[in-house]
Amino acid sequence: MIYRVQRYVIFKNKGLFFLYSQLFFKYFGIVIKFFSLKEICILSVLFCSSSSFYIFVRQPLNHKCYMAKHINKLIMLFGLIFTIQTSSAQLGFSHEIGAFVGAVAFQSDFGVRNDFETNSGNTGIALGIVHYINFAYRADCNCYSTDTYFNDHFKLRSEISWNKTPLEHFGKWVDDARTSVDADKLRAHSGEAENWDIGMQLEYFPRSIRAFSAGAYSFAPFAAVGAHFVSFNPNVETTYGDGNILNNNNFYTPWDNVSEGDPFVSAESGSTWSVVASVGTRYKLTILSDLFVELRWQYYFDDFIDGLNHKLSSNKANDWNLWLNFGYIYYLD
């Protein structure tokens, strides 16, 4: 069930995110008086037009809110991002908003490393909303900002995104020709990686942002680097034996042999940081809108994102993934 809290009109050149940051903290205090933190899942701001926006609060009735356990950390990061955005609004920089949908290839401890079947099989979906600070244009005067290299070649991107990937074992160890007990255990084992991200990236455009905005050329390639805070909620399942994921006998024997008593499967939610790097391009659709495509690499500072962290020598790195995103950007000012 989704409730509309309030609609706010944004007068021209007043700064969307200045108002948003104030209203978010004002109304969050009211919301938590009526709903438990464990029942609240905030996906704030559904942007409706260039002159108004809504704040929404979602109360799940019959299902778990996966971000609830780490909501305080997420709120602190919201506050940090909104402080940066508020400062940019006061300086007059213009803003862009957008959304994207994409595919995720999850590189985890499932399957065989560097195996095409594993890489193509363990793929999922991604959704996100993005906001950009455009340093090249000033919203307070409808004019270009000071002509510096930084202003004309960099944008600051903030993002809230979600991705979900079903996971199975692929490759030679589960080949039909293998009839061992351990092969059966691997075939019976499946999982799911589900993550919420919030973070920022600095995007670099080799070509002039001013010239692209004016329509001088149709494509604007970019590269980006940044950091995301991740709230993860893996799912672990097995149909082998009694189906109990706490029973190590239901899983691949070599994992248990080298575990030294440590758990190697876990369905516990958690949080961690990640680094991201992207390459892509924008395509000028209209003067006030762009399409974009990007290929993103994301590396997590935790190896239980997929619910599996064994100690075999094949597990050489933490979980990571590749995103291929397609999106739409609208210029607010």
Side-chain angles (χ1 to χ4, degrees), residues 5 23 27 38 72 81 92 96 98 126 131 136 175 177 182 224 226 259 268 271 277-279 293 295 313 326:
V5 176
L23 294 170
Y27 281 93
K38 292 185 178 180
N72 290 333
I81 290 176
E96 306 163 13
H131 166 261
D175 188 86
D182 279 329
S259 67
E268 292 293 321
S271 62
S278 305
V279 291
V293 59
L295 180 66
S313 59
F326 300 89

Side-chain angles (χ1 to χ4, degrees), residues 86-107:
T86 298
S87 300
S88 73
Q90 293 173 332
L91 292 173
F93 297 128
S94 61
H95 301 272
E96 306 163 13
I97 61 165
F100 67 83
V101 60
V104 174
F106 209 94
Q107 309 298 303

Side-chain angles (χ1 to χ4, degrees), residues 41-43 58 66-67 74 160-163 194-198 229-232:
C41 185
I42 295 179
L43 273 181
R58 180 184 181 197
Y66 297 131
M67 286 200 303
L74 289 171
I160 303 173
S161 58
W162 168 86
N163 65 83
E194 182 173 13
N195 307 306
W196 285 93
D197 282 36
I198 178 171
F229 177 80
V230 181
S231 177
F232 61 89

Side-chain angles (χ1 to χ4, degrees), residues 126-319:
L127 301 170
I129 55 176
V130 293
H131 166 261
Y132 292 86
I133 297 176
N134 187 339
F135 301 103
Y137 192 81
R138 293 184 62 91
D140 55 353
C141 65
N142 288 327
C143 59
Y144 286 115
S145 60
T146 303
D147 188 7
T148 66
Y149 188 86
F150 180 85
N151 288 354
D152 199 28
H153 291 274
F154 288 91
K155 291 184 180 182
L156 186 63
R157 166 176 168 170
S158 54
E159 173 184 315
I160 303 173
S161 58
W162 168 86
N163 65 83
K164 184 176 183 179
T165 307
L167 301 168
E168 294 183 21
H169 291 282
F170 296 92
K172 62 181 181 179
W173 303 113
V174 293
D175 188 86
D176 291 340
R178 293 183 179 270
T179 58
S180 66
V181 171
D182 279 329
D184 290 339
K185 289 180 178 181
L186 287 176
R187 294 188 191 100
H189 177 206
S190 62
E192 186 177 75
E194 182 173 13
N195 307 306
W196 285 93
D197 282 36
I198 178 171
M200 305 188 78
Q201 295 173 240
L202 187 63
E203 290 192 356
Y204 168 67
F205 293 80
R207 308 178 79 176
S208 168
I209 292 174
R210 288 176 173 83
F212 175 71
S213 298
Y217 40 84
S218 298
F219 291 93
F222 64 84
V225 64
H228 285 191
F229 177 80
V230 181
S231 177
F232 61 89
N233 186 77
N235 182 48
V236 179
E237 293 183 358
T238 182
T239 58
Y240 189 86
D242 60 7
N244 184 356
I245 67 171
L246 300 180
N247 183 356
N248 289 352
N249 292 326
N250 292 332
F251 295 96
Y252 189 55
T253 304
W255 296 341
D256 190 29
N257 292 340
V258 299
S259 67
E260 299 177 354
D262 294 331
F264 51 85
V265 294
S266 173
E268 292 293 321
S269 300
S271 62
T272 189
W273 288 92
S274 67
V275 292
V276 295
S278 305
V279 291
T281 187
R282 287 197 185 195
Y283 171 75
K284 177 57 66 179
L285 190 63
T286 69
I287 291 298
L288 292 178
S289 63
D290 300 337
L291 300 178
F292 77 89
V293 59
E294 70 170 347
L295 180 66
R296 175 195 293 175
W297 171 79
Q298 181 175 22
Y299 180 83
Y300 301 97
F301 295 129
D302 195 295
D303 205 16
F304 268 117
I305 305 297
D306 60 347
L308 175 63
N309 180 19
H310 60 78
K311 294 184 178 180
L312 295 180
S313 59
S314 58
N315 185 7
K316 298 179 180 180
N318 290 344
D319 299 328

Side-chain angles (χ1 to χ4, degrees), residues 8-12 14-16 19 47 49-53:
Y8 292 93
V9 176
I10 305 164
F11 296 99
K12 188 176 182 180
K14 293 298 183 181
L16 166 63
L19 292 177
F47 193 86
S49 71
S50 59
S51 61
S52 64
F53 71 93

